[in-house]
Amino acid sequence: MASLRSASPSGFLFLGLLLLAVVGHAVAQSPRERLSLNSDWRFSRFTDNPDQLSYATLKAWILPSSNDFITRAKYQRPSGISPGRNVQYVQSSFDDSKWEPVTLPHDWAIKGPFGAPGVSGSEGKLPYNGVGWYRKTLKLKSGDVSPGKNLYLEVDGAMSYASVFLNGVLVGGWPYGYNSFRLNLTPYAKAGDNILAIRLENAPNSSRWYPGAGLYRNVWLVKVNSVHVAQYGTKVTTPSVSAGSATVDLSVAIENTSNSTKRIDLVTEIYEVDASTGKATGDAKAKFKSVSVNVAGGTKQVVNSTTKLSNPKLWGPAPEQTPHLYVALSKVSAGGNGTVDSVETKFGVRTIVYDGNKGLIVNGAPVYVKGVCNHHDLGSLGAAFNWRAAERQLELLLEMGTNALRTSHNMPASELLDLTDRYGIIVIGETFDTWKTKKVDNDYHLLWDEWHEADMRSYVRRERNHPSIVAWSIGNEMPDQSSALGGQITTELQNIARQEDGTRKSTAGLNNAGPGTALVNALEIIGLNYQGEGKGTSWNSTYPSFHNRYPNKMIWGTETASTVSTRGTYIFPVTSAKTAVVGPSAGENVTTKYVSSYELYHPSWAASPDKVFIQQDNYPYVAGEFVWTGWDYIGEPTPFDNASRSSYFGIIDLAGFKKDRFWLYQARWRPEIPQAHILPHWTWPSRVGQATPVHVFTSGDEAELFVNGKSQGRKKTEKSEYRLRWDNVTYSPGEIEVVAYKNGAKWAGDSKKTVGGPAKLNVTADRTSIENDGYDLSFITVAVVDKNGDTVPQASNTISFSIEGPGEIVSTDNGDPTDMTAFPSLTRKAFSGLALAIVRSKPGSSGSLTVSAASNGLTGGKVIVQAGY
Ligand code: GAL
């Protein structure tokens, strides 16, 4: 599918222009501007505090940034001179020419090196800690700062404890690094050059995974008139939907920052969104009754309207349903002065029922949840949000049959939700990994008391129009889950979700809470982590106890499996069990720090995929599962906690290469695709004559295995079997082949053969044509192949990458969790035969990018990528 770029900064402007073209009359006069502030920053990181500032000293000026999202008394900005004025970095006289020039989104830690002092393997060993300063000159016209204009800074994500200074004044900030925030720059801005300086600070030991560091999502400057649609000010819901008609309710919060009452008129029309371009298309499909109200100066007022949409095209999860989108274009005019603001709100028309017995029902049809959890990093690109990298993650998950994503354990970039809307992937939008009680010393518990309401409320308000979100998650495995406090917090957070949204239910990932807890009593959807399948070697499922107590509450496995493996690595002997706790004599190679890819091993609390499938099938009222995890991520390298840099949990490795499990999930989730997958590889010079188990994942129901043409027997998948195994095969070089059957007829096949030594490099690109906006990416795979062109499964040759033409290699990787070569390195070893390079064009430059890979003693290879089309 063509890449939809509307959420990249350049794509965003493009979308605006296209909307103008399509529905020019609706928005042509909009004075609202939303400009990317991603370019021309200077950055410096300090391991010692360079400025003597801290969140504690700045807090009183930062707390008022949460005022729009708290119901308790608003914070007053302290009077007098704000702290930090004397810090040289906030002053216009400071010469930052020696600082690093950077373009956002920027993750300051991702380039490494690995082994940062004080950063454990669970946080990815990368230098995310310390203080970081970003500086930029903001050029403003006199019209921008004239009375009647407002300037807002929108930061989609800053890791973490952001404090923002404009012309030396501390404007405000936001401590939770996963949330977005907006600050009003108007009182501190002037015509000409303004110095925008942002201070971030990351304490070590603040996360159980790699959090990233820096201004790692997009940053925007918004210019609006004094009468304008408030931040996250629109809400579109579809309270009743039938084939012939949908009721569409709209509410728009109008803000008037002037000091006089304004009479405003709100007009909103609905257009369809074209699925391939993501843009508004055609004529208006419906128009809301226009509304006129007086908005007093210095206030915000919510305006409601409703309309009917005939023959609505519904949003539903792929592949069974189609994710149709609409966009509501709202125009605000004030006091007969024409349009003062206009905004667009994308939404979908759909119904959701959460059924205690049938699971999730979308638009009347049950949708079995085939989900994965993912952390926010994008492999070797780090936490820096990139539209194409996120889209590639989803593309591979969709190929596997995934229809659901849990954004563990925090708010994702908004653009990820644009993608899930477009691709038809249902989402649990999660908020917190801790509440009031800590998991690690410097995690969110430090912010809980003062910030949890603002964080929950602003997130729900921001993302409530995304049809892909089907549930809010109020937390993951919170240490408070079983206490009375857990019940109170659940009630409070769910109430916030109801107030801001009210169309979805809330869930949480519970690993310990039992059916009798106050939390579970309050919680709307029961989400179980691991306990549903029975932890470790136990087969005692807790699903029945929850279901018996709450037969009408929907239950899903918010976190399942946590199987660990290293791509292409097979360790012998292989357990004969269906599920096995990983350890030095079970699946681990304690020397190499790899885990066997027979896909049976997991930590003590977890399970193999097979066991999860069995238990899910045993309890059909369970709505489905979210596997931990779809993709590997940086940090949390269980079971080699401090030795490695990245996780072993992913179905897909950090570089984006599929592990064997990919086909096990695909066989279950896309049974209609004829498919068979053999493991292990068949190049084992040291195993001649030894038992070498062969396992097959298939969407068939029967298969026959041949070793060098000799049948090893035909096997059927019996009840509770999700793989076929021939555990007593004796290795001899040659070829193994499987023929799979379904209902007695030939269905699919696979083979593996003994390959020769490395001879050359095969270089391929996922896309040979990319945009030249400086954001679009091509993912280049290098396979080390033998003279016949077959990938050498254990090849670890050192590969050197180079590029000619107007582009650059941003990073390289191979998916090896122990590889401590810094991600930007142009030299990288292949791992299990493969390596990856990620390429982008120079912004604005068009031409051919020739990406070459070379390795001593091998024939090199190259691929050409066209930039700018
Ligand atoms: C869960 C936790 C996840 C991850 C996972 C690893 O308990 O919620 O964040 O740590 O374990 O198995």
Side-chain angles (χ1 to χ4, degrees), residues 466-489:
H466 287 282
S468 56
I469 293 196
V470 300
W472 305 109
S473 169
I474 58 175
N476 174 62
E477 298 189 352
M478 310 69 67
D480 318 281
Q481 67 193 283
S482 298
S483 65
L485 179 69
Q488 288 160 27
I489 293 174

Side-chain angles (χ1 to χ4, degrees), residues 208-209 375 406 408-409 433 439 476-477 509 511 529-530 559 561-563 603 605-606 628-629 633 636 638 649:
R208 300 187 300 110
W209 57 87
H375 272 306
R406 172 174 176 243
S408 43
H409 300 299
D433 191 49
K439 286 181 180 168
N476 174 62
E477 298 189 352
N511 61 329
N529 289 8
Y530 308 104
E559 222 173 285
S562 268
T563 306
W605 57 90
W628 190 266
T629 50
Y633 51 96
E636 207 180 31
T638 310
F649 292 114

